[in-house]
Amino acid sequence: MITLTATLALTLSAPVATANPALQGYLNHESLTQQLVELDQSELVTLQSIGKSHGGRNIWLLTVGQGTGPAIAVVGNLQAGHLAGGEICLRMAQKLVALSAHDEMVRKLLSERTFYFLPRPDPDACEKSFIGPWRLPAGNGRRTDDDRDFQFGEDPPEDLDGDGWITSMRIEDETGGFIPHPEDPRLMISADRNKNERGMYRILVEGIDNDRDESWNEDAGDGVGLDRNFPFRFQPFEPHHGPNAVSEPESRAIADFFHDRTNIAIVLSFSPEENLLNPWKPNADRERQRIKSAVLGADAPGLEYISNDYKQKLGSTEGPAGTDNRGTFASWIYFHLGKWSLSARGWSVPKLELLPDEKAASDKRGADEWNALRWLAKQERDGFAPWKRIDHPDFPNRKVEVGGFRPFYLLNPPANQLDGIAEKHAQFLIGLPALMARLAIAETRVEVLGGNVVRVTAKSVNRGFLAAMPEMGQVNGQPIQLQIELHAPEQTVFLRGSKRQRVPRLTGNGGSHETSWLIRLPNAEPVKLSIDLAAPTVDTSRAEIEIKPSS
């Protein structure tokens, strides 16, 4: 049995380690910056900071490509411990630049399109992942009052067994709700009273009740989580959500960036709250509500198609579903900014097939954890701490054990797998522009009515797969809408129809709309007119016509 006094003495006397075993090969902020600076040597790349974190670190933006039309943005890990998202984002940019040196298709793509990469939008939170004792950080560098008692960080978790990790405690308690798995006592599952099971344990985060309020580790002062601080369904008064939406320098910098870049048509972000392996589903009842909270039925098929393409390229059809879209970046992009929003976890623990000498557990509870244990053993990764009894001052004369899954291991793959994962995501990214709206003025008609009066009609058509914008964008009116403009000589009088008119959302694969103008030209001389169909998120299409008013 380990005593608490001995453990704390060991912790205080030892230097704080910074080499997180679960993240060997991952980049801290300094190393990430070095790689971004190296990438900036390419003529296709521009590196700039869009703001500073609470701790003064740069929030880096990498612009790849030289296009002037619609763009795609890629945002790295939005949750602090999910460093794989930022690593994949960076490596996708590196692969695009490397491919452009010998791949004509990619070189042409980068001459026509722009890709924005924000690999590590919350650098302070990510840096916490490299500081021991190792635990999943909740938020940025702000010192917060997580339990709202007007004290800041007074009850953080502690490493009671001195192994360098913050894991779990199981406390023997007949009123608790957990029991060991009957076929693997390392795993804890909820007791099912309908099966005549009686709880045997309470489960808490490793630590002591520092403020003696009979709540354990409820206030680590652990900052504001970026992926809970955006305006869509923002929840005030919740730990790590922030005092108000976009309250943090990191979220403000990102929000300003996306508001300013009106040319961004598609956003791919990395978060466990993903929608590519588990695409958002429409809900007719919620769609009828004034405030939309489910993907619209008109947008769902496009997202479903992209999801299937992603699954094919990733080589995976399932993964853990996201649990909550309150305050998330991906939901804000779709519901508030009206852009196509794709979110990927990037990697999850693969489901392993049973070997011939293995037997499946008859009790299916904890199946994912069972699979995770097998995967960790196969990979020889030390991601589970065996339960170890300690002497805990808050639970005298009670059996208390510390152990369980160590953080980071089940959220991030081994670093040597990142390149292969990034390659698949880069191929997915390269394919996205081909799915974007492709607008054209397919047909024009001119009717000469006499007296220099003519009627001009233009038919706009979308030849791409995706609609010119999501239906959500038309509902909330946030993206700059599609417009068509007739360029005529000075002193032309527009009798019906303004010079520039709004074109309704054009659905994919043939969606069309006709626009007409009735104009009086200044004289009877032949004249050439041009018509532009444009919006920041689509390429401009132009048609030219010649009119002879006297004919």
Side-chain angles (χ1 to χ4, degrees):
M1 182 182 298
I2 299 176
T3 65
L4 182 63
T5 302
T7 297
L8 292 179
L10 175 66
T11 302
L12 292 172
S13 63
V16 175
T18 57
N20 186 333
L23 299 176
Q24 291 182 5
Y26 280 72
L27 302 173
N28 63 12
H29 184 71
E30 181 180 357
S31 301
L32 175 82
T33 299
Q34 291 174 351
Q35 294 216 11
L36 290 171
V37 170
E38 291 176 9
L39 199 54
D40 189 33
Q41 304 306 307
S42 168
E43 62 181 10
L44 294 171
V45 174
T46 302
L47 177 65
Q48 66 186 97
S49 173
I50 63 168
K52 296 280 190 178
S53 69
H54 189 271
R57 296 181 175 91
N58 284 306
I59 302 169
W60 291 117
L61 165 69
L62 198 69
T63 303
V64 180
Q66 300 169 329
T68 57
I72 296 176
V74 185
V75 182
N77 56 297
L78 289 153
Q79 294 188 20
H82 182 224
L83 273 77
E87 295 275 352
I88 295 168
C89 178
L90 170 64
R91 292 166 193 244
M92 288 168 68
Q94 292 171 328
K95 290 182 183 300
L96 273 187
V97 174
L99 283 171
S100 68
H102 58 81
D103 189 313
E104 181 61 33
M105 187 271 286
V106 174
R107 189 158 50 245
K108 183 175 185 295
L109 177 65
L110 294 182
S111 70
E112 298 172 346
R113 293 282 176 262
T114 298
F115 295 86
Y116 300 115
F117 293 88
L118 286 160
R120 193 160 288 176
D122 197 358
D124 291 355
C126 294
E127 285 303 280
K128 294 180 182 180
S129 301
F130 297 97
I131 300 173
W134 302 298
R135 63 186 178 91
L136 284 179
N140 65 359
R142 185 184 297 279
R143 188 80 161 163
T144 51
D145 175 15
D146 297 336
D147 59 352
R148 304 185 65 79
D149 63 353
F150 303 102
Q151 298 184 66
F152 294 79
E154 80 282 358
D155 194 3
E158 288 94 4
D159 176 19
L160 300 184
D161 62 351
D163 68 348
W165 296 93
I166 302 295
T167 52
S168 299
M169 299 189 299
R170 61 182 186 185
I171 303 105
E172 210 168 52
D173 186 342
E174 65 178 355
T175 67
F178 293 90
I179 59 173
H181 194 288
E183 294 167 78
D184 191 330
R186 292 177 296 175
L187 301 178
M188 303 301 292
I189 58 175
S190 295
D192 187 347
R193 291 178 173 83
N194 294 326
K195 295 181 178 179
N196 196 25
E197 293 176 346
R198 180 181 298 172
M200 299 169 56
Y201 289 94
R202 296 171 65 186
I203 303 293
L204 296 174
V205 175
E206 184 180 358
I208 61 175
D209 181 12
N210 301 88
D211 54 1
R212 316 311 299 169
D213 63 354
E214 298 188 359
S215 294
W216 280 262
N217 313 306
E218 79 281 5
D219 190 358
D222 208 18
V224 176
L226 181 64
D227 213 21
R228 289 289 177 261
N229 194 234
F230 285 93
F232 176 73
R233 297 187 68 213
F234 173 77
Q235 299 293 302
F237 312 119
E238 292 287 333
H240 317 305
H241 286 217
N244 53 267
V246 202
S247 63
E248 304 308 295
E250 299 88 351
S251 54
R252 287 199 300 273
I254 293 165
D256 287 344
F257 171 78
F258 280 95
H259 274 293
D260 292 343
R261 299 307 197 281
T262 57
N263 63 321
I264 294 175
I266 300 175
V267 181
L268 170 63
S269 58
F270 287 92
S271 170
E273 306 297 336
E274 64 92 46
N275 70 353
L276 280 172
L277 289 179
N278 300 281
W280 292 333
K281 302 298 183 185
N283 182 300
D285 290 336
R286 289 162 65 187
E287 186 165 343
R288 284 191 289 269
Q289 296 174 358
R290 183 167 177 265
I291 298 177
K292 314 300 182 187
S293 59
V295 65
L296 301 186
D299 296 331
L303 293 174
E304 187 81 33
Y305 182 92
I306 294 174
S307 168
N308 290 333
D309 179 59
Y310 177 78
K311 292 174 183 177
Q312 183 178 9
K313 288 188 168 70
L314 194 66
S316 177
T317 59
E318 60 181 24
T323 57
D324 192 354
N325 68 356
R326 297 179 302 169
T328 63
F329 170 82
S331 295
W332 174 71
I333 286 290
Y334 174 75
F335 287 100
H336 284 188
L337 296 194
K339 298 179 184 291
W340 297 107
S341 181
L342 314 173
S343 186
R345 189 184 180 98
W347 174 88
S348 59
V349 175
K351 295 290 177 65
L352 300 182
E353 299 291 335
L354 287 173
L355 298 175
D357 59 342
E358 288 183 309
K359 181 182 178 181
S362 57
D363 191 324
K364 301 304 180 185
R365 287 176 293 177
D368 289 339
E369 290 78 8
W370 184 289
N371 179 72
L373 284 174
R374 295 175 60 237
W375 178 80
L376 286 168
K378 182 178 180 181
Q379 296 289 318
E380 298 182 347
R381 286 173 68 75
D382 193 18
F384 189 91
W387 295 101
K388 184 185 302 182
R389 187 165 181 175
I390 66 168
D391 180 17
H392 199 296
D394 298 337
F395 304 100
N397 305 316
R398 302 265 291 278
K399 180 181 178 183
V400 180
E401 296 171 289
V402 171
F405 286 103
R406 289 178 170 140
F408 301 102
Y409 280 98
L410 305 186
L411 200 54
N412 302 284
N416 60 12
Q417 297 181 18
L418 287 168
D419 260 349
I421 296 168
E423 176 67 35
K424 295 175 181 179
H425 284 83
Q427 292 303 317
F428 171 70
L429 180 68
I430 289 169
L432 285 178
L435 301 177
M436 295 167 69
R438 289 188 299 111
L439 305 188
I441 300 173
E443 179 185 334
T444 58
R445 299 193 306 274
V446 175
E447 301 170 71
V448 178
L449 303 177
N452 299 340
V453 175
V454 297
R455 179 181 287 112
V456 178
T457 303
K459 184 176 184 180
S460 307
V461 65
N462 180 4
R463 294 168 177 164
F465 169 71
L466 289 174
M469 70 173 65
E471 176 72 12
M472 193 67 229
Q474 186 148 295
V475 168
N476 64 29
Q478 282 301 304
I480 297 176
Q481 307 288 300
L482 189 61
Q483 299 177 44
I484 192 166
E485 182 174 4
L486 176 64
H487 299 278
E490 289 186 19
Q491 300 177 15
T492 296
V493 178
F494 284 79
L495 303 172
R496 181 175 296 170
S498 59
K499 179 179 180 180
R500 180 184 296 172
Q501 300 185 46
R502 181 175 292 181
V503 175
R505 173 179 178 268
L506 296 180
T507 57
N509 289 329
S512 63
H513 178 76
E514 281 197 347
T515 308
S516 292
W517 297 265
L518 189 66
I519 61 174
R520 180 185 293 119
L521 295 167
N523 54 57
E525 297 296 320
V527 63
K528 288 185 178 180
L529 307 181
S530 61
I531 303 172
D532 284 340
L533 178 65
T537 55
V538 296
D539 287 317
T540 299
S541 178
R542 168 166 285 201
E544 295 186 346
I545 54 177
E546 185 171 348
I547 297 177
K548 298 179 180 179
S550 60
S551 61

